[in-house]
């Protein structure tokens, strides 16, 4: 069964403010005002809002425009659906206050990460500071700055250099960032700070954070509401990491029969946590069902029953006998303290129903004592249902890619959530705008099976028009959840998106189609022009497992990005993993948003190797000609030695890559990202986010034109199929999606038959 429950947004508080009927109605209104480029700006909102029933007799168009002007100086700024919802709630609070009904007027002000009013929830900030102080207090670099005082703005000041956020990501998902790639000097120049933030944002996307509206400049400036929003997501991912059958097979005890295990696997971590909580509450005799971490736990009764059944040795009858909610909340937290649970919230937070903090509190209780059986016979059945490692890694990659696209839906379990076809249609509409006939699509929840088949049949039809390999594939194959087919289809879609983007970069060269062979040729030529002898024969060349080729490729596109003193020979598995983690981190630091894991490089997974190579190529081709053709002394000195020194022992994880020379061209490049803004043309996640103000720091130095040619001769190079470093006209920080929009059409490059084994299975 699919776990899709309707329109989903990333902000949990925002999700709790609307019913699904309201979500669908507002989503329809939002889509209706998109302009020809598929975008919605702040200036588009006043006429629409004035017509909505909620404001019709309370606020006129001019008053709405005035309210929006308080927090938006530029009415041409593009907004997404979540910001639209926040504006709606803000106007709702204004309108209710205007007519004298203040019952709901303060609800929006309680938002943790309100973008419009920039309000900060002090309780949440204090909890996040306590979390950081607890988990990072022994860090060799940060221990000099911790503990942070929660009553001050020290958190935002400390986050400005990017080190804190990178370290916090590694706490949430260990090994995500190779700490050798973090610039950890006491005083960082602007480019080094920007590198850290680029690494942070790309790594945050790689663990599942939503960073669509956050740019490096926001982090450099330490904007509190955006920083707290990002920190909240990172901590949430850490706390919910074990809420799945792979990490905690004992969760199978929550279902009564084996047929429900698949449904459990498709639930989001938050839903699993609620299911776990209700499982124990039912055993404790609690009559109500908890459906959220806000209003349903405000009276503290559910917590009292939960803790009594999990830790009866600390049980106190006074907790349930307490008449006052605040008094009961105090007793609940005292009980939790005796269980060694960290306090993520205060009694006031329970009574006020702070969703984020209550979620963190329940997750902490789960980690400390989940109360599930360790010898349940169903556990072996759950372990049998888990996928093999390769399928699991690919599922993760495509799930994160889809979630980075900025579509309305959110994928928790790839194989379950795509079975009704709706999410696949949303992805297709991003990758090939206008290709989906929404009048013939059925939006979830879908009760009639044939409607799911209709959606999936349209998916197959569009895929064939895009020239994807879908021989003998029908919509029902998706509905039945054929895992290999789903992975193969999504891989082809990602690859199609990738090649289209490269084609769009070459729009000045008669729109020549790109193939895998072109990417391979480009990579080999770049390394050869650097004076290296290593080459890759194909994307499944086993010699790539050492990682040396990709380190040389990265050094070829940006001479100072690789610190060769940290590189190993790549002979043993341990050395290969060190190189692979370093490759991924410095590629993200450079600006590539990639979702592969070190194991994909070590095992030479040709799909992931292709995406890595293409992302590096995509970044390189976007660098302006005048900056690539004139190497500075610093760049020349760094690349003077033709052979890397790989004999030195790698530095410890905390060793900084910084050597005093700033790295150029991070904030001045367009957003190279699979994730694009709603309604825009498809963008592959190959680069990091940008400063919103469109500014870019001057580059201290640039990589040389290693082939000795004039890089502006794009057309001649492409016509000869020798792909070399060339530029795009896009030299500002405007999103690439604007450049790509005009060229993205149904006409696409032919899929190569030798692509992958998965494609041949189709």
């Amino acid at each position: 069964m699919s776990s899709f429950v309707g329109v989903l947004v990333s902000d949990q508080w925002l999700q709790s403010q609307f019913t699904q009927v309201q979500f669908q109605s507002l989503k329809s209104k939002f889509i209706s005002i998109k302009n020809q480029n598929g975008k919605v700006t702040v200036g588009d909102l006043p006429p629409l809002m004035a017509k909505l029933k909620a404001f019709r007799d309370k606020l006129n168009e001019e008053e709405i425009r005035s309210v929006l002007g308080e927090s938006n100086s530029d009415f041409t700024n593009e907004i997404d659906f979540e910001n639209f919802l926040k504006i709606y709630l803000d106007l709702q609070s204004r309108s209710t206050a205007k007519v004298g009904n203040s019952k709901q007027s303060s609800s929006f002000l309680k938002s943790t990460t309100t973008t419009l009013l920039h309000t900060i929830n002090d309780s949440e900030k204090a909890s996040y500071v306590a979390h950081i102080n607890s988990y990072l207090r022994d860090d060799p670099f940060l221990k000099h700055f911790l503990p942070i005082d929660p009553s001050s703005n020290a958190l935002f000041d400390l986050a400005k250099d990017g080190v804190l956020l990178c370290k916090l990501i590694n706490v949430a998902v260990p090994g995500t960032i190779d700490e050798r790639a973090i610039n950890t000097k006491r005083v960082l120049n602007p480019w080094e700070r920007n590198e850290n933030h680029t690494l942070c944002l790309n790594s945050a996307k790689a663990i599942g954070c939503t960073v669509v509206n956050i740019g490096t400049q926001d982090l450099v400036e330490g904007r509190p509401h955006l920083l707290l929003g990002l920190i909240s997501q990172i901590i949430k991912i850490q706390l919910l990491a074990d809420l799945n059958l792979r990490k905690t097979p004992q969760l199978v005890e929550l279902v009564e029969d084996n047929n429900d295990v698949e449904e459990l696997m498709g639930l989001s971590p938050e839903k699993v946590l609620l299911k776990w909580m209700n499982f124990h509450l039912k055993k404790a005799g609690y009559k109500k069902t908890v459906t959220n971490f806000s209003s349903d736990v405000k009276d503290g009764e559910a917590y009292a029953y939960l803790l009594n059944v999990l830790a009866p040795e600390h049980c106190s009858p006074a907790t349930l006998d307490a008449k006052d909610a605040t008094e009961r909340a105090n007793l609940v937290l005292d009980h939790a303290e005796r269980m060694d649970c960290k306090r993520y919230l205060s009694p006031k937070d329970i009574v006020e129903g702070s969703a984020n903090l209550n979620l963190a509190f329940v997750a902490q209780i789960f980690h400390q004592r989940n109360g599930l059986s360790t010898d349940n016979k169903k556990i072996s059945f759950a372990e049998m249902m888990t996928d093999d490692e390769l399928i699991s890694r690919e599922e993760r990659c495509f799930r994160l890619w889809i979630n980075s696209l900025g579509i309305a839906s959110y994928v928790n379990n790839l194989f379950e959530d795509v079975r009704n076809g709706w999410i696949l249609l949303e992805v297709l509409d991003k990758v090939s705008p206008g290709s989906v006939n929404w009048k013939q699509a059925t939006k979830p929840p879908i009760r009639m099976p044939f409607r799911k088949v209709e959606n999936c049949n349209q998916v197959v039809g569009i895929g064939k028009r895009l020239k994807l390999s879908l021989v003998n594939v029908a919509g029902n194959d998706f509905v039945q959840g054929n895992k290999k087919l789903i992975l193969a289809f999504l891989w082809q879609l990602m690859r199609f998106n990738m090649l289209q983007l490269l084609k769009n970069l070459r729009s000045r060269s008669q729109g020549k189609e790109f193939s895998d062979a072109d990417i391979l040729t480009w990579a080999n030529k770049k390394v050869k022009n650097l004076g290296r002898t290593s080459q890759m024969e194909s994307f499944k060349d086993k010699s790539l497992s050492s990682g040396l080729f990709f380190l040389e490729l990265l050094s070829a596109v940006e001479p100072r990005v690789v610190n060769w003193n940290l590189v190993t020979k790549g002979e043993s598995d341990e050395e290969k993993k060190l190189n692979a983690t370093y490759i991924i981190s410095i590629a993200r630091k450079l600006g590539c948003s990639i979702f592969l894991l070190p194991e994909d490089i070590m095992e030479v997974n040709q799909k992931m190797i292709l995406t890595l190579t293409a992302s590096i190529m995509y970044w390189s081709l976007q660098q302006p000609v005048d900056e690539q053709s004139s190497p500075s002394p610093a760049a020349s000195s760094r690349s003077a030695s033709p052979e890397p020194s790989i004999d030195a022992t790698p530095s410890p994880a905390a060793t900084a890559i910084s050597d005093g020379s700033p790295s150029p061209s991070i904030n001045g490049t367009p957003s190279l990202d699979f994730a694009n803004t709603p309604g825009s043309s498809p963008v592959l996640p190959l680069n990091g986010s940008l400063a919103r103000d469109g500014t870019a720091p001057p580059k201290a130095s640039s990589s040389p034109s290693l082939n000795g040619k004039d890089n502006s001769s794009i057309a001649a190079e492409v016509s000869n199929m020798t792909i070399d470093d060339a530029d795009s006209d896009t030299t500002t920080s405007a999103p690439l999606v604007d450049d790509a929009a005009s060229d993205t059409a149904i006409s696409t490059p032919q899929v190569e038959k030798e692509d992958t084994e998965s494609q041949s299975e189709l």
Side-chain angles (χ1 to χ4, degrees), residues 1-4 245 260-269 271-272 411-414 416-417:
M1 294 177 61
S2 173
S3 63
F4 191 92
L245 285 177
D260 295 330
V261 174
E262 285 193 19
E263 182 179 0
L264 179 65
M265 292 174 67
L267 293 178
S268 67
K271 297 290 185 184
V272 174
V411 180
N412 291 298
N413 182 291
L414 182 70
E416 287 298 308
D417 292 355

Side-chain angles (χ1 to χ4, degrees), residues 210 212 398-407 409-412 675:
T210 301
V212 174
F398 297 133
R399 169 167 45 83
L400 293 172
W401 170 59
I402 291 173
N403 288 335
S404 73
L405 288 172
I407 63 175
S409 306
Y410 189 87
V411 180
N412 291 298

Side-chain angles (χ1 to χ4, degrees), residues 129-268:
V129 166
H131 182 94
I132 291 169
N133 287 339
S134 173
Y135 282 93
L136 291 173
R137 62 189 173 193
D138 297 325
D139 182 85
F141 179 79
L142 291 175
K143 66 182 180 182
H144 303 293
F145 306 97
L146 300 180
I148 302 170
D149 180 4
S151 63
S152 70
N153 288 325
L155 171 64
F156 310 123
D157 294 333
L158 184 57
K160 287 182 179 180
D161 66 5
V163 177
L164 173 68
L165 294 173
C166 289
K167 300 272 189 179
L168 192 60
I169 287 173
N170 267 357
V171 168
V173 184
T176 299
I177 298 176
D178 188 328
E179 296 196 1
R180 296 173 296 171
I182 305 174
N183 299 321
T184 54
K185 294 191 305 184
R186 285 300 184 94
V187 179
L188 300 178
N189 62 42
W191 299 278
E192 290 167 334
R193 283 200 305 270
N194 205 71
E195 283 182 330
N196 281 349
H197 289 309
T198 302
L199 173 60
C200 164
L201 289 176
N202 285 323
S203 299
K205 280 187 285 187
I207 65 171
C209 294
T210 301
V211 296
V212 174
N213 294 319
I214 306 176
T216 54
Q217 192 63 27
D218 297 321
L219 302 184
V220 169
E221 294 174 4
R223 296 182 183 179
H225 60 294
L226 293 175
L227 275 171
L228 281 184
L230 180 58
I231 290 171
S232 171
Q233 290 187 73
I234 296 170
I235 293 176
K236 179 179 174 182
I237 286 170
Q238 176 187 347
L239 294 174
L240 300 179
D242 292 339
L243 281 154
N244 58 74
L245 285 177
R246 180 176 290 276
K247 294 284 188 67
T248 312
Q250 295 91 343
L251 285 168
V252 75
E253 188 179 350
L254 303 183
V255 298
E256 294 182 358
D257 110 30
N258 292 341
N259 293 330
D260 295 330
V261 174
E262 285 193 19
E263 182 179 0
L264 179 65
M265 292 174 67
L267 293 178
S268 67

Side-chain angles (χ1 to χ4, degrees), residues 41-53:
T41 64
V42 177
D44 296 327
L45 298 184
L48 170 68
M49 294 296 192
K51 295 177 183 178
L52 296 180
K53 184 177 180 180

Side-chain angles (χ1 to χ4, degrees), residues 93-145:
S93 68
R94 304 287 186 114
S95 63
T96 52
K98 183 178 179 181
V99 297
N101 178 11
S102 60
K103 182 177 180 181
Q104 299 177 2
S105 61
S106 65
S107 63
F108 183 61
L109 299 178
K110 294 178 184 177
S111 172
T112 307
T113 57
T114 263
T115 304
L116 298 170
L117 301 182
H118 295 184
T119 59
I120 301 300
N121 187 312
D122 289 331
S123 292
E124 293 198 13
K125 185 179 92 169
S127 294
Y128 301 152
V129 166
H131 182 94
I132 291 169
N133 287 339
S134 173
Y135 282 93
L136 291 173
R137 62 189 173 193
D138 297 325
D139 182 85
F141 179 79
L142 291 175
K143 66 182 180 182
H144 303 293
F145 306 97

